[in-house]
Amino acid sequence: MKTVLVTGSSGLIGSGVTEYFHARNWKIHGVDNNMRADFFGPEGDTRWNLGRLSRELKNFSHHEMDIRNREGVLGLVKELNPDAIVHCAAQPSHDLAAKRPFDDFDVNAGGTLNLLEASRRVSNQIVFVHLSTNKVYGDAPNRIALKELPTRWDYEDPAYANGIPESMTIDQSKHSLFGASKAAGDIFVQEYGRYFEMPTCCLRCGCLTGPQHSGVELHGFLSYLVKCNLEQRTYNIFGYKGKQVRDNIHALDVARFIAAFAAVPRQGEVYNRGGGKQNSCSILEAFALTEAMTGQAQVFNSVDQNRAGDHICYYSDLRKMRSHYPGWDITKSLTQTLREIVDAWQMTRAHG
Ligand SMILES: NC(=O)c1ccc[n+]([C@@H]2O[C@H](COP(=O)([O-])OP(=O)(O)OC[C@H]3O[C@@H](n4cnc5c(N)ncnc54)[C@H](O)[C@@H]3O)[C@@H](O)[C@H]2O)c1
Protein backbone atom coordinates (compact mmCIF):
# COMPACT_ATOMS: atom_id res chain seq x y z
CA MET A 1 0.00 0.00 0.00
CA LYS A 2 1.40 3.41 -1.00
CA THR A 3 1.51 6.24 1.52
CA VAL A 4 0.71 9.92 1.02
CA LEU A 5 1.22 12.74 3.49
CA VAL A 6 -1.45 15.42 2.99
CA THR A 7 -1.03 18.78 4.71
CA GLY A 8 -4.14 20.86 5.33
CA SER A 9 -6.08 17.59 5.25
CA SER A 10 -9.14 19.02 7.02
CA GLY A 11 -9.51 21.80 4.45
CA LEU A 12 -11.26 21.77 1.08
CA ILE A 13 -8.51 20.40 -1.14
CA GLY A 14 -6.68 18.38 1.51
CA SER A 15 -9.86 16.48 2.39
CA GLY A 16 -10.71 15.99 -1.30
CA VAL A 17 -7.25 14.57 -1.98
CA THR A 18 -7.51 12.39 1.13
CA GLU A 19 -10.79 10.84 0.00
CA TYR A 20 -9.65 10.40 -3.59
CA PHE A 21 -6.37 8.64 -2.70
CA HIS A 22 -8.03 6.60 0.05
CA ALA A 23 -10.53 5.24 -2.47
CA ARG A 24 -7.52 4.11 -4.56
CA ASN A 25 -6.09 2.15 -1.67
CA TRP A 26 -3.46 4.59 -0.42
CA LYS A 27 -2.65 5.01 3.27
CA ILE A 28 -3.23 8.67 4.20
CA HIS A 29 -1.42 10.67 6.87
CA GLY A 30 -3.13 14.02 7.34
CA VAL A 31 -1.49 17.04 8.97
CA ASP A 32 -3.74 19.89 10.12
CA ASN A 33 -3.88 22.11 13.21
CA ASN A 34 -7.22 23.81 12.38
CA MET A 35 -5.41 27.09 11.82
CA ARG A 36 -8.25 28.08 9.46
CA ALA A 37 -10.36 28.71 12.60
CA ASP A 38 -7.58 30.91 13.97
CA PHE A 39 -7.41 32.80 10.67
CA PHE A 40 -11.16 33.20 10.05
CA GLY A 41 -12.95 32.52 13.35
CA PRO A 42 -15.57 29.82 14.06
CA GLU A 43 -16.99 29.85 10.52
CA GLY A 44 -13.59 28.77 9.21
CA ASP A 45 -13.36 25.85 11.64
CA THR A 46 -12.53 22.63 9.78
CA ARG A 47 -12.90 20.16 12.68
CA TRP A 48 -16.24 18.95 11.29
CA ASN A 49 -14.39 17.77 8.20
CA LEU A 50 -11.65 16.08 10.25
CA GLY A 51 -14.38 14.28 12.23
CA ARG A 52 -15.97 13.09 8.99
CA LEU A 53 -12.67 11.77 7.57
CA SER A 54 -11.74 10.04 10.84
CA ARG A 55 -15.15 8.32 11.02
CA GLU A 56 -15.36 7.29 7.38
CA LEU A 57 -11.82 6.38 6.27
CA LYS A 58 -10.11 3.40 7.89
CA ASN A 59 -6.67 4.08 6.40
CA PHE A 60 -6.57 7.72 7.48
CA SER A 61 -4.41 8.91 10.40
CA HIS A 62 -4.51 12.47 11.65
CA HIS A 63 -1.45 14.35 12.93
CA GLU A 64 -2.22 17.49 14.90
CA MET A 65 0.84 19.41 13.76
CA ASP A 66 1.73 22.92 12.68
CA ILE A 67 3.79 22.93 9.48
CA ARG A 68 5.79 25.83 10.95
CA ASN A 69 7.18 23.33 13.49
CA ARG A 70 10.40 22.53 11.64
CA GLU A 71 11.64 19.75 13.91
CA GLY A 72 8.18 18.19 14.02
CA VAL A 73 7.90 18.19 10.23
CA LEU A 74 11.42 16.79 9.74
CA GLY A 75 10.67 14.01 12.24
CA LEU A 76 7.28 13.11 10.78
CA VAL A 77 8.47 12.87 7.17
CA LYS A 78 11.45 10.78 8.29
CA GLU A 79 9.20 8.44 10.27
CA LEU A 80 6.64 8.03 7.45
CA ASN A 81 8.93 8.06 4.39
CA PRO A 82 5.85 8.61 2.19
CA ASP A 83 5.63 7.98 -1.56
CA ALA A 84 4.08 11.40 -2.04
CA ILE A 85 3.43 14.67 -0.23
CA VAL A 86 0.47 16.82 -1.25
CA HIS A 87 0.89 20.21 0.36
CA CYS A 88 -2.45 21.99 0.83
CA ALA A 89 -1.97 23.73 4.20
CA ALA A 90 -1.83 27.51 3.89
CA GLN A 91 -2.92 30.91 5.00
CA PRO A 92 -5.15 31.24 1.91
CA SER A 93 -6.50 34.82 1.98
CA HIS A 94 -4.84 37.78 0.33
CA ASP A 95 -6.75 40.31 2.46
CA LEU A 96 -5.91 38.60 5.74
CA ALA A 97 -2.21 38.44 4.88
CA ALA A 98 -1.90 42.22 5.25
CA LYS A 99 -3.17 41.93 8.83
CA ARG A 100 -0.95 38.98 9.76
CA PRO A 101 2.15 39.20 7.54
CA PHE A 102 4.44 37.14 9.78
CA ASP A 103 1.94 34.29 10.14
CA ASP A 104 1.23 34.42 6.41
CA PHE A 105 4.90 34.18 5.46
CA ASP A 106 5.80 31.62 8.12
CA VAL A 107 3.01 29.27 7.02
CA ASN A 108 3.11 29.79 3.24
CA ALA A 109 6.83 30.16 2.62
CA GLY A 110 8.47 28.73 5.78
CA GLY A 111 6.08 25.80 6.08
CA THR A 112 6.64 24.89 2.41
CA LEU A 113 10.41 24.97 2.84
CA ASN A 114 10.16 22.79 5.97
CA LEU A 115 8.26 20.15 3.99
CA LEU A 116 10.55 20.28 0.95
CA GLU A 117 13.71 19.97 2.98
CA ALA A 118 12.20 17.23 5.15
CA SER A 119 11.33 15.40 1.96
CA ARG A 120 14.81 15.81 0.38
CA ARG A 121 16.54 14.56 3.53
CA VAL A 122 14.57 11.32 3.36
CA SER A 123 14.56 10.69 -0.40
CA ASN A 124 14.66 12.77 -3.55
CA GLN A 125 12.11 10.36 -5.04
CA ILE A 126 9.15 11.55 -2.95
CA VAL A 127 6.59 13.14 -5.27
CA PHE A 128 5.82 16.65 -4.01
CA VAL A 129 2.69 18.49 -5.21
CA HIS A 130 2.27 22.06 -4.02
CA LEU A 131 -0.98 23.99 -4.13
CA SER A 132 0.12 27.38 -5.36
CA THR A 133 -2.09 30.20 -6.61
CA ASN A 134 -2.71 32.44 -9.59
CA LYS A 135 -1.87 35.34 -7.23
CA VAL A 136 1.80 34.57 -7.91
CA TYR A 137 1.19 36.51 -11.16
CA GLY A 138 0.18 39.51 -9.07
CA ASP A 139 -2.02 41.91 -10.99
CA ALA A 140 -0.02 41.43 -14.22
CA PRO A 141 -3.08 39.81 -15.91
CA ASN A 142 -4.91 43.15 -15.41
CA ARG A 143 -2.58 44.69 -18.03
CA ILE A 144 -4.15 42.55 -20.77
CA ALA A 145 -6.59 44.52 -22.95
CA LEU A 146 -10.12 43.70 -21.78
CA LYS A 147 -13.60 44.14 -23.18
CA GLU A 148 -16.66 44.84 -21.06
CA LEU A 149 -19.60 42.53 -21.78
CA PRO A 150 -23.08 42.87 -20.22
CA THR A 151 -22.29 40.57 -17.26
CA ARG A 152 -18.52 40.07 -17.35
CA TRP A 153 -15.10 41.26 -18.40
CA ASP A 154 -13.25 39.21 -21.01
CA TYR A 155 -9.91 39.35 -22.82
CA GLU A 156 -9.87 41.58 -25.87
CA ASP A 157 -6.40 40.40 -26.82
CA PRO A 158 -6.76 37.19 -28.91
CA ALA A 159 -3.43 35.92 -27.52
CA TYR A 160 -5.36 35.12 -24.32
CA ALA A 161 -8.45 33.55 -25.91
CA ASN A 162 -7.60 30.28 -24.09
CA GLY A 163 -6.79 32.03 -20.81
CA ILE A 164 -3.63 32.80 -18.86
CA PRO A 165 -0.64 30.55 -19.66
CA GLU A 166 2.19 29.58 -17.30
CA SER A 167 4.53 31.97 -19.16
CA MET A 168 2.78 35.00 -17.61
CA THR A 169 5.35 37.04 -15.65
CA ILE A 170 5.35 36.75 -11.86
CA ASP A 171 7.59 39.81 -11.58
CA GLN A 172 6.99 43.56 -11.13
CA SER A 173 3.33 43.61 -10.22
CA LYS A 174 1.18 43.96 -7.10
CA HIS A 175 0.64 40.55 -5.54
CA SER A 176 -0.78 41.16 -2.04
CA LEU A 177 1.41 39.81 0.74
CA PHE A 178 -0.34 36.46 0.28
CA GLY A 179 0.67 36.37 -3.40
CA ALA A 180 4.23 37.21 -2.40
CA SER A 181 4.50 34.50 0.28
CA LYS A 182 2.94 31.94 -2.08
CA ALA A 183 5.34 33.01 -4.85
CA ALA A 184 8.24 32.32 -2.45
CA GLY A 185 6.87 28.82 -1.77
CA ASP A 186 6.23 28.28 -5.50
CA ILE A 187 9.85 29.19 -6.42
CA PHE A 188 11.20 26.87 -3.71
CA VAL A 189 9.11 23.99 -5.03
CA GLN A 190 10.42 24.59 -8.56
CA GLU A 191 13.96 24.90 -7.26
CA TYR A 192 13.88 21.62 -5.35
CA GLY A 193 12.69 20.07 -8.62
CA ARG A 194 15.43 21.58 -10.76
CA TYR A 195 18.34 21.80 -8.31
CA PHE A 196 17.83 18.49 -6.49
CA GLU A 197 16.06 16.74 -9.39
CA MET A 198 13.04 15.95 -7.28
CA PRO A 199 9.59 15.16 -8.71
CA THR A 200 7.86 18.40 -7.72
CA CYS A 201 5.13 20.54 -9.19
CA CYS A 202 3.22 23.74 -8.43
CA LEU A 203 -0.46 24.02 -9.22
CA ARG A 204 -1.24 27.70 -9.68
CA CYS A 205 -4.87 27.59 -8.73
CA GLY A 206 -7.86 29.70 -9.66
CA CYS A 207 -10.96 29.30 -7.49
CA LEU A 208 -10.99 25.84 -5.97
CA THR A 209 -14.38 24.87 -4.74
CA GLY A 210 -16.77 22.14 -3.70
CA PRO A 211 -19.24 21.17 -0.99
CA GLN A 212 -16.52 20.65 1.65
CA HIS A 213 -15.44 24.30 1.75
CA SER A 214 -15.87 26.22 5.02
CA GLY A 215 -16.50 29.41 3.00
CA VAL A 216 -15.99 32.82 4.60
CA GLU A 217 -16.01 36.35 3.15
CA LEU A 218 -12.23 36.45 2.90
CA HIS A 219 -11.87 33.04 1.25
CA GLY A 220 -14.07 30.58 -0.65
CA PHE A 221 -15.82 32.46 -3.50
CA LEU A 222 -18.74 30.21 -4.50
CA SER A 223 -19.15 28.54 -1.12
CA TYR A 224 -19.51 31.89 0.63
CA LEU A 225 -21.72 33.34 -2.12
CA VAL A 226 -24.17 30.42 -1.86
CA LYS A 227 -24.16 30.63 1.93
CA CYS A 228 -25.07 34.35 1.69
CA ASN A 229 -27.88 33.57 -0.73
CA LEU A 230 -29.40 30.87 1.47
CA GLU A 231 -29.09 32.91 4.67
CA GLN A 232 -30.17 36.11 2.87
CA ARG A 233 -26.95 37.77 4.06
CA THR A 234 -25.55 40.74 2.19
CA TYR A 235 -22.75 39.77 -0.21
CA ASN A 236 -20.26 42.61 -0.73
CA ILE A 237 -18.98 43.15 -4.27
CA PHE A 238 -15.59 44.87 -4.19
CA GLY A 239 -15.18 46.95 -7.37
CA TYR A 240 -15.17 46.02 -11.08
CA LYS A 241 -19.03 46.23 -11.16
CA GLY A 242 -19.37 42.58 -10.11
CA LYS A 243 -18.15 41.60 -13.57
CA GLN A 244 -14.82 40.23 -12.33
CA VAL A 245 -14.26 36.74 -13.72
CA ARG A 246 -12.97 33.68 -11.82
CA ASP A 247 -12.44 30.15 -13.08
CA ASN A 248 -13.79 27.52 -10.76
CA ILE A 249 -12.70 23.95 -10.37
CA HIS A 250 -14.21 21.22 -8.23
CA ALA A 251 -11.90 19.70 -5.60
CA LEU A 252 -12.45 16.27 -7.20
CA ASP A 253 -10.92 17.40 -10.49
CA VAL A 254 -7.93 18.83 -8.60
CA ALA A 255 -7.44 15.51 -6.79
CA ARG A 256 -7.72 13.62 -10.10
CA PHE A 257 -4.93 15.72 -11.54
CA ILE A 258 -2.70 15.24 -8.49
CA ALA A 259 -3.13 11.46 -8.80
CA ALA A 260 -2.22 11.64 -12.51
CA PHE A 261 0.93 13.61 -11.67
CA ALA A 262 1.88 11.25 -8.83
CA ALA A 263 1.61 8.30 -11.25
CA VAL A 264 3.88 9.91 -13.89
CA PRO A 265 5.74 12.74 -12.15
CA ARG A 266 7.97 15.38 -13.73
CA GLN A 267 10.59 17.69 -12.17
CA GLY A 268 9.98 21.30 -11.15
CA GLU A 269 6.81 21.72 -13.20
CA VAL A 270 4.27 24.52 -13.03
CA TYR A 271 0.64 24.23 -14.15
CA ASN A 272 -2.19 26.73 -14.13
CA ARG A 273 -4.95 24.96 -12.35
CA GLY A 274 -8.45 26.36 -12.57
CA GLY A 275 -11.65 25.41 -14.32
CA GLY A 276 -10.62 27.20 -17.52
CA LYS A 277 -12.93 29.34 -19.62
CA GLN A 278 -15.64 26.66 -19.63
CA ASN A 279 -16.01 26.88 -15.82
CA SER A 280 -15.54 30.62 -15.49
CA CYS A 281 -18.13 33.10 -14.26
CA SER A 282 -18.38 36.64 -12.98
CA ILE A 283 -19.91 37.46 -9.60
CA LEU A 284 -23.08 38.67 -11.35
CA GLU A 285 -23.28 35.42 -13.32
CA ALA A 286 -22.73 33.38 -10.13
CA PHE A 287 -25.62 35.30 -8.49
CA ALA A 288 -27.93 34.43 -11.41
CA LEU A 289 -26.97 30.74 -11.41
CA THR A 290 -27.43 30.49 -7.64
CA GLU A 291 -30.75 32.34 -7.68
CA ALA A 292 -32.06 29.92 -10.32
CA MET A 293 -31.17 26.98 -8.03
CA THR A 294 -32.40 28.35 -4.71
CA GLY A 295 -35.31 30.49 -5.90
CA GLN A 296 -34.03 33.29 -3.63
CA ALA A 297 -32.74 36.67 -4.81
CA GLN A 298 -29.15 37.44 -3.86
CA VAL A 299 -28.83 40.34 -1.42
CA PHE A 300 -25.76 42.36 -2.26
CA ASN A 301 -23.97 45.62 -1.72
CA SER A 302 -21.52 47.22 -4.16
CA VAL A 303 -18.34 48.71 -2.71
CA ASP A 304 -16.54 51.00 -5.19
CA GLN A 305 -13.04 50.03 -4.10
CA ASN A 306 -11.70 46.77 -5.52
CA ARG A 307 -9.55 44.47 -3.39
CA ALA A 308 -5.87 45.46 -3.69
CA GLY A 309 -4.18 43.48 -6.47
CA ASP A 310 -7.42 41.65 -7.34
CA HIS A 311 -7.76 40.21 -10.85
CA ILE A 312 -10.37 41.76 -13.14
CA CYS A 313 -10.56 38.75 -15.44
CA TYR A 314 -8.74 35.50 -14.81
CA TYR A 315 -9.19 32.09 -16.29
CA SER A 316 -6.50 29.46 -16.70
CA ASP A 317 -5.12 28.21 -19.98
CA LEU A 318 -5.29 24.44 -19.41
CA ARG A 319 -3.50 23.41 -22.59
CA LYS A 320 -0.10 22.62 -21.02
CA MET A 321 -1.74 20.43 -18.41
CA ARG A 322 -3.82 18.63 -21.02
CA SER A 323 -0.80 18.06 -23.25
CA HIS A 324 1.31 16.58 -20.40
CA TYR A 325 -1.58 14.53 -19.00
CA PRO A 326 -3.97 13.77 -21.88
CA GLY A 327 -6.01 11.40 -19.71
CA TRP A 328 -7.00 14.27 -17.43
CA ASP A 329 -9.73 16.82 -18.05
CA ILE A 330 -12.43 18.73 -16.20
CA THR A 331 -15.30 16.39 -15.29
CA LYS A 332 -17.47 18.68 -13.13
CA SER A 333 -19.18 21.58 -14.86
CA LEU A 334 -19.76 24.88 -13.11
CA THR A 335 -23.49 24.22 -12.72
CA GLN A 336 -22.92 20.71 -11.33
CA THR A 337 -20.42 22.11 -8.83
CA LEU A 338 -22.72 24.92 -7.79
CA ARG A 339 -25.59 22.43 -7.38
CA GLU A 340 -23.45 20.37 -4.99
CA ILE A 341 -22.54 23.45 -2.96
CA VAL A 342 -26.18 24.53 -2.72
CA ASP A 343 -27.23 21.00 -1.67
CA ALA A 344 -24.48 20.83 0.96
CA TRP A 345 -25.37 24.18 2.55
CA GLN A 346 -29.10 23.29 2.48
CA MET A 347 -28.29 20.02 4.25
CA THR A 348 -26.18 21.83 6.86
CA ARG A 349 -28.98 24.31 7.49
CA ALA A 350 -31.60 21.55 7.74
CA HIS A 351 -29.53 19.71 10.35
CA GLY A 352 -28.56 22.84 12.29
N1 LIG B 1 -9.63 27.60 -2.41
C1 LIG B 1 -9.17 28.37 -3.37
O1 LIG B 1 -9.94 29.01 -4.07
C2 LIG B 1 -7.67 28.46 -3.64
C3 LIG B 1 -7.25 29.25 -4.69
C4 LIG B 1 -5.88 29.33 -4.97
C5 LIG B 1 -4.99 28.59 -4.22
N2 LIG B 1 -5.44 27.83 -3.19
C6 LIG B 1 -4.46 27.08 -2.40
O2 LIG B 1 -4.86 25.74 -2.28
C7 LIG B 1 -4.49 25.23 -1.00
C8 LIG B 1 -5.69 24.61 -0.33
O3 LIG B 1 -6.72 25.59 -0.21
P1 LIG B 1 -8.09 25.26 0.53
O4 LIG B 1 -9.14 26.06 -0.14
O5 LIG B 1 -8.25 23.78 0.68
O6 LIG B 1 -7.78 25.90 1.95
P2 LIG B 1 -8.45 25.57 3.36
O7 LIG B 1 -8.25 26.78 4.20
O8 LIG B 1 -9.83 25.02 3.17
O9 LIG B 1 -7.53 24.38 3.91
C9 LIG B 1 -6.25 24.60 4.41
C10 LIG B 1 -6.09 23.77 5.67
O10 LIG B 1 -4.75 23.97 6.15
C11 LIG B 1 -4.78 24.06 7.56
N3 LIG B 1 -3.63 24.84 8.01
C12 LIG B 1 -3.44 26.17 7.87
N4 LIG B 1 -2.28 26.53 8.42
C13 LIG B 1 -1.72 25.40 8.92
C14 LIG B 1 -0.51 25.13 9.61
N5 LIG B 1 0.35 26.12 9.93
N6 LIG B 1 -0.22 23.84 9.95
C15 LIG B 1 -1.10 22.84 9.64
N7 LIG B 1 -2.28 23.05 9.01
C16 LIG B 1 -2.57 24.31 8.66
C17 LIG B 1 -6.12 24.76 7.87
O11 LIG B 1 -6.57 24.49 9.18
C18 LIG B 1 -7.04 24.17 6.80
O12 LIG B 1 -7.75 23.04 7.26
C19 LIG B 1 -3.83 26.39 -0.27
O13 LIG B 1 -2.45 26.32 -0.46
C20 LIG B 1 -4.37 27.61 -0.99
O14 LIG B 1 -3.47 28.72 -0.92
C21 LIG B 1 -6.76 27.74 -2.88
Side-chain angles (χ1 to χ4, degrees), residues 12-13 32-33 35-36 66-67 90 131-132 182 206 208 213:
L12 170 74
I13 297 303
D32 204 300
N33 65 348
M35 201 162 177
R36 189 173 171 90
D66 189 325
I67 59 165
L131 276 286
S132 183
K182 291 292 279 189
L208 311 179
H213 221 180

Side-chain angles (χ1 to χ4, degrees), residues 8 10-14 31-36 39 46 65-68 88-90 92 107 131-133 178 182 205-208 213 219:
S10 311
L12 170 74
I13 297 303
V31 166
D32 204 300
N33 65 348
N34 199 26
M35 201 162 177
R36 189 173 171 90
F39 289 139
T46 54
M65 184 179 287
D66 189 325
I67 59 165
R68 293 172 297 178
C88 310
V107 174
L131 276 286
S132 183
T133 169
F178 161 74
K182 291 292 279 189
C205 301
C207 282
L208 311 179
H213 221 180
H219 187 245

